[in-house]
Amino acid sequence: MLFDLTQDPHEQHDLADERPDLVAQAMARLAEWQAEMMVTARTDVDPMLTVLREGGPFHTRGILPRYLERLRLTGRAAHAERLAKIHPDEAST
């Protein structure tokens, strides 16, 4: 996802498809930063991957149905449907 926060502070319009060049640049920078950080890490496993494997951040668990409802009520049903498709077990909880 890519947003112009100056023009779209509520992140309503994803520009990723329109600007694949910026997405590629950002992903390259992120990969470079991650590689630099892993060199100094005390473990060879990225902590973010551990959190994702455990089901995501603890404070976000169990709230997907409410979030999907909010997305639908605020004109972002397409995003809600995409998330529901990715997380079918959590979406109906």
Side-chain angles (χ1 to χ4, degrees), residues 18-39:
E18 297 171 31
R19 294 300 309 267
D21 57 316
L22 286 179
V23 173
Q25 182 181 3
M27 294 303 292
R29 286 183 179 185
L30 180 59
E32 182 180 319
W33 174 84
Q34 184 179 29
E36 289 174 15
M37 295 300 105
M38 291 305 293
V39 169

Side-chain angles (χ1 to χ4, degrees), residues 10 48 52 60 66:
H10 300 291
M48 182 178 71
L52 292 173
T60 65
R66 285 186 317 208

Side-chain angles (χ1 to χ4, degrees), residues 74-91:
T74 55
R76 298 175 285 171
H79 298 297
E81 300 317 313
R82 187 175 61 105
L83 284 171
K85 197 178 287 188
I86 293 170
H87 306 285
D89 296 336
E90 297 173 50

Side-chain angles (χ1 to χ4, degrees), residues 3-51:
F3 300 99
D4 179 344
L5 296 178
T6 303
Q7 299 297 317
D8 181 19
H10 300 291
E11 300 177 1
Q12 301 293 306
H13 183 67
D14 184 2
L15 300 171
D17 290 339
E18 297 171 31
R19 294 300 309 267
D21 57 316
L22 286 179
V23 173
Q25 182 181 3
M27 294 303 292
R29 286 183 179 185
L30 180 59
E32 182 180 319
W33 174 84
Q34 184 179 29
E36 289 174 15
M37 295 300 105
M38 291 305 293
V39 169
T40 61
R42 289 182 270 172
T43 177
D44 61 349
V45 177
D46 182 347
M48 182 178 71
L49 293 177
T50 301
V51 169

